[in-house]
Amino acid sequence: FKAFFLEDVWDITEDLRLTVGGRYDHYSDFGGHFSPRAGLTWEYRKGYDLKLLYGHAFRAPTFDELRLNPDLDPETIDTYELSLGAEFTSSFSVRATFYHKEEKDVISIVEGPVFYANRGKSQDQGFEVEMRYDFGRGTYLAGNYNYRDWKSDELVVPVKHLGTIMANIRLSRYMNLYADCRFVD
């Protein structure tokens, strides 16, 4: 396995930043794949930003999947995001992200003897809202909520509502108390 990654950041203006990157992965048993990524961030007011993001990624078949079907292609995904963030105070921040994902050549188990194949595609779109309040010195309270509208050629239907509430209390320089509560519809 070999990989090469390159990224550059350009400050187009004082409040507009472009980030462009790419990664090339080469597997001896599978071959190579290039994954580009780009993001444009506009800080339209101090502490408030709008981000446009695009990314392409892949998942190479595992050794076991290739052992059972050496003709597998990688799963690929293209992701588009629009994100709005606000830092109301130095302690309290909120971010809302709308996303659309398109996945192709999904690797799944075919009925009968255990066998893997590239079957179909899926679309996942929705939004996520995140909030965080930082009490200082590593103590914080945070939460997120994600709504998903997922469509697939497969029969599997994932959850539509996901969320997490997290709390971290710094007890000392070397010890934290962390708890989270996750909910799924």
Side-chain angles (χ1 to χ4, degrees):
F1 171 76
K2 296 175 187 171
F4 178 74
F5 178 82
L6 184 64
E7 180 179 84
D8 203 359
V9 177
W10 291 284
D11 288 327
I12 299 169
T13 65
E14 191 174 302
D15 57 356
L16 192 62
R17 173 175 280 182
L18 176 65
T19 305
V20 178
R23 178 181 170 126
Y24 179 77
D25 294 276
H26 184 80
Y27 293 81
S28 59
D29 57 354
F30 159 70
H33 194 90
F34 178 69
S35 302
R37 182 156 175 83
L40 185 64
T41 303
W42 174 37
E43 186 178 33
Y44 57 91
R45 186 175 171 194
K46 183 72 175 160
Y48 297 83
D49 65 61
L50 178 68
K51 294 181 181 184
L52 298 170
L53 304 165
Y54 166 76
H56 173 83
F58 81 104
R59 181 184 77 83
T62 66
F63 176 77
D64 192 45
E65 291 167 343
L66 283 173
R67 182 178 59 83
L68 295 171
N69 183 356
D71 297 324
L72 285 174
D73 291 325
E75 292 182 354
T76 61
I77 187 167
D78 288 291
T79 304
Y80 308 87
E81 297 179 28
L82 173 65
S83 184
L84 184 61
E87 192 174 289
F88 296 112
T89 68
S90 61
S91 300
F92 182 56
S93 62
V94 176
R95 178 161 301 278
T97 302
F98 299 90
Y99 63 86
H100 177 83
K101 300 176 184 178
E102 296 178 3
E103 195 172 10
K104 296 175 186 156
D105 293 323
V106 176
I107 299 171
S108 57
I109 296 176
V110 178
E111 288 187 29
V114 177
F115 185 76
Y116 295 96
N118 293 106
R119 294 179 45 167
K121 57 188 175 189
S122 69
Q123 285 189 359
D124 182 7
Q125 56 194 13
F127 67 89
E128 180 174 20
V129 178
E130 307 168 73
M131 296 180 4
R132 178 179 172 119
Y133 189 86
D134 190 345
F135 294 94
R137 299 189 59 235
T139 299
Y140 64 86
L141 181 62
N144 64 39
Y145 167 75
N146 188 317
Y147 171 79
R148 298 175 65 188
D149 181 20
W150 194 73
K151 296 175 180 91
S152 172
D153 291 345
E154 300 292 314
L155 296 175
V156 178
V157 178
V159 296
K160 282 193 177 269
H161 305 277
L162 304 165
T164 307
I165 298 171
M166 300 155 277
N168 189 74
I169 300 170
R170 182 177 178 193
L171 300 174
S172 73
R173 182 175 175 185
Y174 302 104
M175 189 180 308
N176 288 320
L177 175 62
Y178 174 83
D180 66 37
C181 176
R182 298 170 194 237
F183 64 89
V184 179
D185 71 345

PDB file of all heavy atoms in Angstrom, residues 68-80:
ATOM      1  N   LEU A  68     -13.010 -13.752  -2.235  1.00  0.00           N
ATOM      2  CA  LEU A  68     -14.237 -14.384  -2.715  1.00  0.00           C
ATOM      3  C   LEU A  68     -14.696 -13.851  -4.070  1.00  0.00           C
ATOM      4  O   LEU A  68     -15.458 -14.516  -4.773  1.00  0.00           O
ATOM      5  CB  LEU A  68     -15.349 -14.214  -1.680  1.00  0.00           C
ATOM      6  CG  LEU A  68     -15.078 -14.937  -0.361  1.00  0.00           C
ATOM      7  CD1 LEU A  68     -16.090 -14.543   0.686  1.00  0.00           C
ATOM      8  CD2 LEU A  68     -15.085 -16.447  -0.572  1.00  0.00           C
ATOM      9  N   ASN A  69     -14.270 -12.648  -4.436  1.00  0.00           N
ATOM     10  CA  ASN A  69     -14.601 -12.097  -5.748  1.00  0.00           C
ATOM     11  C   ASN A  69     -13.494 -11.135  -6.181  1.00  0.00           C
ATOM     12  O   ASN A  69     -13.524  -9.952  -5.848  1.00  0.00           O
ATOM     13  CB  ASN A  69     -15.946 -11.358  -5.711  1.00  0.00           C
ATOM     14  CG  ASN A  69     -16.345 -10.832  -7.061  1.00  0.00           C
ATOM     15  OD1 ASN A  69     -15.607 -10.937  -8.034  1.00  0.00           O
ATOM     16  ND2 ASN A  69     -17.514 -10.233  -7.132  1.00  0.00           N
ATOM     17  N   PRO A  70     -12.503 -11.634  -6.937  1.00  0.00           N
ATOM     18  CA  PRO A  70     -11.375 -10.791  -7.339  1.00  0.00           C
ATOM     19  C   PRO A  70     -11.732  -9.697  -8.350  1.00  0.00           C
ATOM     20  O   PRO A  70     -10.912  -8.833  -8.640  1.00  0.00           O
ATOM     21  CB  PRO A  70     -10.373 -11.785  -7.940  1.00  0.00           C
ATOM     22  CG  PRO A  70     -11.162 -12.994  -8.267  1.00  0.00           C
ATOM     23  CD  PRO A  70     -12.351 -13.019  -7.355  1.00  0.00           C
ATOM     24  N   ASP A  71     -12.961  -9.688  -8.866  1.00  0.00           N
ATOM     25  CA  ASP A  71     -13.380  -8.699  -9.854  1.00  0.00           C
ATOM     26  C   ASP A  71     -14.076  -7.479  -9.248  1.00  0.00           C
ATOM     27  O   ASP A  71     -14.643  -6.668  -9.985  1.00  0.00           O
ATOM     28  CB  ASP A  71     -14.321  -9.344 -10.884  1.00  0.00           C
ATOM     29  CG  ASP A  71     -13.632 -10.441 -11.669  1.00  0.00           C
ATOM     30  OD1 ASP A  71     -12.423 -10.282 -11.956  1.00  0.00           O
ATOM     31  OD2 ASP A  71     -14.285 -11.449 -11.993  1.00  0.00           O
ATOM     32  N   LEU A  72     -14.050  -7.350  -7.932  1.00  0.00           N
ATOM     33  CA  LEU A  72     -14.737  -6.225  -7.289  1.00  0.00           C
ATOM     34  C   LEU A  72     -14.094  -4.887  -7.638  1.00  0.00           C
ATOM     35  O   LEU A  72     -12.874  -4.772  -7.756  1.00  0.00           O
ATOM     36  CB  LEU A  72     -14.712  -6.387  -5.764  1.00  0.00           C
ATOM     37  CG  LEU A  72     -15.660  -7.416  -5.175  1.00  0.00           C
ATOM     38  CD1 LEU A  72     -15.403  -7.555  -3.684  1.00  0.00           C
ATOM     39  CD2 LEU A  72     -17.095  -7.032  -5.436  1.00  0.00           C
ATOM     40  N   ASP A  73     -14.938  -3.874  -7.785  1.00  0.00           N
ATOM     41  CA  ASP A  73     -14.490  -2.492  -7.936  1.00  0.00           C
ATOM     42  C   ASP A  73     -14.586  -1.825  -6.570  1.00  0.00           C
ATOM     43  O   ASP A  73     -15.311  -2.292  -5.689  1.00  0.00           O
ATOM     44  CB  ASP A  73     -15.407  -1.740  -8.920  1.00  0.00           C
ATOM     45  CG  ASP A  73     -15.241  -2.226 -10.343  1.00  0.00           C
ATOM     46  OD1 ASP A  73     -14.102  -2.577 -10.718  1.00  0.00           O
ATOM     47  OD2 ASP A  73     -16.251  -2.275 -11.072  1.00  0.00           O
ATOM     48  N   PRO A  74     -13.904  -0.692  -6.375  1.00  0.00           N
ATOM     49  CA  PRO A  74     -14.024   0.004  -5.085  1.00  0.00           C
ATOM     50  C   PRO A  74     -15.385   0.682  -4.973  1.00  0.00           C
ATOM     51  O   PRO A  74     -16.005   1.020  -5.971  1.00  0.00           O
ATOM     52  CB  PRO A  74     -12.915   1.047  -5.153  1.00  0.00           C
ATOM     53  CG  PRO A  74     -12.773   1.330  -6.605  1.00  0.00           C
ATOM     54  CD  PRO A  74     -13.007   0.015  -7.293  1.00  0.00           C
ATOM     55  N   GLU A  75     -15.839   0.844  -3.738  1.00  0.00           N
ATOM     56  CA  GLU A  75     -17.007   1.691  -3.497  1.00  0.00           C
ATOM     57  C   GLU A  75     -16.524   3.135  -3.637  1.00  0.00           C
ATOM     58  O   GLU A  75     -15.428   3.469  -3.174  1.00  0.00           O
ATOM     59  CB  GLU A  75     -17.539   1.502  -2.079  1.00  0.00           C
ATOM     60  CG  GLU A  75     -18.148   0.177  -1.809  1.00  0.00           C
ATOM     61  CD  GLU A  75     -18.705   0.065  -0.394  1.00  0.00           C
ATOM     62  OE1 GLU A  75     -18.521   0.990   0.423  1.00  0.00           O
ATOM     63  OE2 GLU A  75     -19.321  -0.955  -0.102  1.00  0.00           O
ATOM     64  N   THR A  76     -17.322   3.985  -4.263  1.00  0.00           N
ATOM     65  CA  THR A  76     -16.957   5.400  -4.371  1.00  0.00           C
ATOM     66  C   THR A  76     -18.075   6.255  -3.816  1.00  0.00           C
ATOM     67  O   THR A  76     -19.245   5.842  -3.821  1.00  0.00           O
ATOM     68  CB  THR A  76     -16.669   5.815  -5.832  1.00  0.00           C
ATOM     69  OG1 THR A  76     -17.846   5.609  -6.608  1.00  0.00           O
ATOM     70  CG2 THR A  76     -15.505   5.037  -6.398  1.00  0.00           C
ATOM     71  N   ILE A  77     -17.716   7.427  -3.338  1.00  0.00           N
ATOM     72  CA  ILE A  77     -18.717   8.344  -2.802  1.00  0.00           C
ATOM     73  C   ILE A  77     -18.327   9.775  -3.171  1.00  0.00           C
ATOM     74  O   ILE A  77     -17.150  10.138  -3.122  1.00  0.00           O
ATOM     75  CB  ILE A  77     -18.875   8.190  -1.269  1.00  0.00           C
ATOM     76  CG1 ILE A  77     -20.035   9.041  -0.764  1.00  0.00           C
ATOM     77  CG2 ILE A  77     -17.587   8.522  -0.547  1.00  0.00           C
ATOM     78  CD1 ILE A  77     -20.454   8.727   0.660  1.00  0.00           C
ATOM     79  N   ASP A  78     -19.315  10.550  -3.589  1.00  0.00           N
ATOM     80  CA  ASP A  78     -19.159  11.972  -3.835  1.00  0.00           C
ATOM     81  C   ASP A  78     -20.029  12.700  -2.830  1.00  0.00           C
ATOM     82  O   ASP A  78     -21.214  12.383  -2.685  1.00  0.00           O
ATOM     83  CB  ASP A  78     -19.595  12.332  -5.261  1.00  0.00           C
ATOM     84  CG  ASP A  78     -18.601  11.820  -6.281  1.00  0.00           C
ATOM     85  OD1 ASP A  78     -17.484  12.353  -6.323  1.00  0.00           O
ATOM     86  OD2 ASP A  78     -18.945  10.882  -7.024  1.00  0.00           O
ATOM     87  N   THR A  79     -19.446  13.674  -2.133  1.00  0.00           N
ATOM     88  CA  THR A  79     -20.142  14.398  -1.077  1.00  0.00           C
ATOM     89  C   THR A  79     -20.138  15.893  -1.374  1.00  0.00           C
ATOM     90  O   THR A  79     -19.105  16.462  -1.719  1.00  0.00           O
ATOM     91  CB  THR A  79     -19.443  14.161   0.280  1.00  0.00           C
ATOM     92  OG1 THR A  79     -19.373  12.763   0.527  1.00  0.00           O
ATOM     93  CG2 THR A  79     -20.195  14.812   1.408  1.00  0.00           C
ATOM     94  N   TYR A  80     -21.323  16.501  -1.220  1.00  0.00           N
ATOM     95  CA  TYR A  80     -21.489  17.945  -1.394  1.00  0.00           C
ATOM     96  C   TYR A  80     -22.078  18.495  -0.095  1.00  0.00           C
ATOM     97  O   TYR A  80     -23.045  17.937   0.420  1.00  0.00           O
ATOM     98  CB  TYR A  80     -22.456  18.242  -2.544  1.00  0.00           C
ATOM     99  CG  TYR A  80     -22.084  17.534  -3.824  1.00  0.00           C
ATOM    100  CD1 TYR A  80     -22.538  16.245  -4.082  1.00  0.00           C
ATOM    101  CD2 TYR A  80     -21.273  18.153  -4.768  1.00  0.00           C
ATOM    102  CE1 TYR A  80     -22.195  15.583  -5.251  1.00  0.00           C
ATOM    103  CE2 TYR A  80     -20.937  17.503  -5.946  1.00  0.00           C
ATOM    104  CZ  TYR A  80     -21.397  16.219  -6.179  1.00  0.00           C
ATOM    105  OH  TYR A  80     -21.054  15.577  -7.337  1.00  0.00           O
TER     106      TYR A  80
END
